[in-house]
Amino acid sequence: MNNKVVVAGGGIGGLATALALSRAGVEVDLLEQASAFGEVGAGLQLGPNAVRVLDAWGLIDELHACAAFPESLQVRDAHHSNTLGQLRLGALSRAHYGQPYATIYRVDLHALLLEAVRHEPRVRLHLDTRLAGYEEAGNGVRVTCENDKVFEVGALVGADGLWSRVRQEMLGAQPARVSGHLAYRGMVAAGDLPGVLRDPVVTAWLGPKLHVVHYPVRRGEWFNVVAVVEGMLGHGHGGPPGSDPQSWSHEARQADLLRALGPVCAELKTMLDQVGEWKLWALNDRHPVASADEHARGRVALLGDAAHPLRPYLAQGAAMAIEDAWTLGRLAGAANGAPDWPALFARFAQTRWQRNARVQSRSQRNGTIFHASGPLRIARNAAMAMLGESLMDNPWLYSGPPDPLAD
């Protein structure tokens, strides 16, 4: 029993955890509440820190088969179109960090991990299985599910997202924090764009109380577009931000977005006009992790959004879940088939909590900087012009993840 773990949640973090632990010799039961594995369609960015983990797992060829690898990150003014700053990626990222910067359709990353997990004989996948609760005994954890399945295992990992059942059981009811920010997302076929907008770059357009990001996915054949605005949901969408926070996608009308954005430059307007269908969701998060005790207790650990949900302004949500999973795999591998789960989880939490808290704080701060107006906006633009790439690069982040086994 001690070498068996339940992982609650079949998203990117849960699959990554199942992969890492099973390759370390652990038997894994992965519970997914839905009737089929899948991800909501949206893009995400993977810094060199996340790509480094996928490479360590032997998945770099699979990543290259479906991702895009932008040459640069450009920051531009949403209303006037001028360039505020640029960070070279591509070859420079490989030179500095040994790995590229990737952009990928979320569905493709999920499918890549699911395929790898399905080749692991130690993983058993359970659909239509939602955790109801757990009881921790001296030598194990009894996990009960809403469909009456029961698992007697050595440990439990909650990778069940922002609204985590495992988190609620472990830390008590803690309402998520409503940011007041709304994110619209859509996809555009590269072939529908004029030449300059098809360039393989991540472009961030900044304006007062708003920003828009677009970047290539699916080998550059598509572009993911995300527009974030502050304020109330548009008419007909059911009230203020967070009034239906657990609904990941809402149908959203382009008129609502354009009204919220106000006048934007012609190039950005062209990109927005090519989005065939917008989805809308309210952004919610939690306060940054305050201690290792919020990441793991006894034989139960939290991972990814269950532990440290992020606002998307540092593009590290998936990456931090992948780093968490890799860390657990490293520690489990060092246990040589006889893990002391409370000690292992304590070391995991000590390795991860401060880094995750820093990413949470930086993500929130970036949102304030992105949406700045008045003197802060002027100072931001001046700093980007003066400091250039050194302001936009994140060596402390991209050189990770930290090795839990290092002295």
Side-chain angles (χ1 to χ4, degrees):
M1 183 179 77
N2 194 57
N3 206 35
K4 294 183 177 180
V5 168
V6 161
V7 175
I12 288 168
L15 290 173
T17 303
L19 183 64
L21 289 178
S22 63
R23 289 185 173 181
V26 177
E27 301 282 333
V28 178
D29 285 286
L30 186 144
L31 317 183
E32 169 53 47
Q33 66 180 4
S35 57
F37 285 101
E39 264 288 354
V40 174
L44 52 84
Q45 301 177 55
L46 295 174
N49 51 314
V51 176
R52 184 172 294 110
V53 172
L54 295 177
D55 191 9
W57 287 340
L59 299 175
I60 200 70
D61 289 344
E62 290 82 352
L63 180 68
H64 277 273
C66 64
F69 297 89
E71 294 174 359
S72 67
L73 164 62
Q74 297 179 356
V75 181
R76 301 177 64 180
D77 187 293
H79 300 305
H80 304 293
S81 84
N82 55 299
T83 299
L84 303 175
Q86 178 169 298
L87 174 65
R88 289 170 293 167
L89 300 172
L92 197 71
S93 175
R94 288 182 174 90
H96 281 179
Y97 303 113
Q99 297 290 348
Y101 192 105
T103 49
I104 188 169
Y105 197 43
R106 183 179 288 270
V107 169
D108 292 342
L109 178 59
H110 187 272
L112 179 159
L113 291 169
L114 180 59
E115 182 65 17
V117 165
R118 282 183 164 147
H119 282 88
E120 293 297 324
R122 293 188 182 92
V123 181
R124 291 168 295 278
L125 303 175
H126 305 268
L127 294 169
D128 291 311
T129 306
R130 188 182 190 192
L131 181 141
Y134 70 83
E135 255 187 297
E136 189 175 354
N139 60 350
V141 183
R142 178 182 171 88
V143 177
T144 55
C145 302
E146 290 182 354
N147 62 2
D148 296 329
K149 285 186 179 178
V150 177
F151 299 88
E152 304 273 0
V153 291
L156 167 65
V157 178
D160 47 347
L162 177 65
W163 312 102
S164 168
R165 285 276 182 95
V166 179
R167 180 189 179 95
Q168 184 170 337
E169 290 273 315
M170 188 173 105
L171 300 178
Q174 300 172 333
R177 182 171 61 173
V178 177
S179 72
H181 294 193
L182 304 173
Y184 292 74
R185 70 172 185 271
M187 298 281 285
V188 178
D192 293 339
L193 294 170
V196 67
L197 286 175
R198 291 202 299 268
D199 289 347
V201 301
V202 180
T203 305
W205 303 85
L206 309 187
K209 295 188 177 181
L210 67 94
H211 78 281
V212 181
V213 179
H214 54 76
Y215 49 81
V217 294
R218 296 203 147 169
R219 301 163 300 279
E221 297 162 15
W222 288 83
F223 275 76
N224 183 68
V225 186
V226 182
V228 179
V229 298
E230 297 181 21
M232 304 293 282
L233 282 164
H235 179 70
H237 287 306
S243 59
D244 186 19
Q246 294 195 51
S247 195
W248 173 259
S249 292
H250 300 263
E251 296 303 321
R253 292 179 292 126
Q254 187 177 31
D256 289 336
L257 173 59
L258 295 179
R259 191 181 307 117
L261 289 176
V264 296
C265 67
E267 201 172 326
L268 175 54
K269 181 69 160 54
T270 298
M271 176 66 81
L272 297 173
D273 285 346
Q274 291 301 320
V275 176
E277 182 182 19
W278 288 104
K279 299 290 185 180
L280 171 66
W281 78 99
L283 297 179
N284 302 279
D285 68 354
R286 297 185 184 278
H287 291 286
V289 181
S291 69
D293 198 43
E294 293 183 13
H295 230 312
R297 295 184 181 183
R299 293 176 176 268
V300 183
L302 300 174
L303 177 147
D305 281 354
H308 45 79
L310 293 164
R311 297 185 188 183
Y313 309 138
L314 194 57
Q316 283 286 315
M320 287 301 103
I322 289 168
E323 284 195 12
D324 284 348
W326 176 84
T327 304
L328 281 176
R330 286 282 288 161
L331 292 168
N336 295 318
D340 176 345
W341 290 110
L344 189 156
F345 282 167
R347 188 156 187 178
F348 163 73
Q350 284 295 340
T351 301
R352 295 299 306 164
W353 82 267
Q354 288 173 304
R355 180 171 171 87
N356 286 325
R358 184 177 182 182
V359 172
Q360 285 179 290
S361 297
R362 183 66 64 91
S363 299
Q364 182 178 340
R365 190 187 78 174
N366 276 6
T368 301
I369 294 170
F370 288 180
H371 294 192
S373 56
L376 180 58
R377 175 176 174 270
I378 294 169
R380 175 200 70 199
N381 293 355
M384 294 186 79
M386 185 184 307
L387 299 173
E389 290 190 333
S390 64
L391 185 68
M392 299 172 64
D393 201 3
N394 292 292
W396 66 271
L397 179 60
Y398 297 148
S399 59
D403 189 346
L405 302 179
D407 291 331

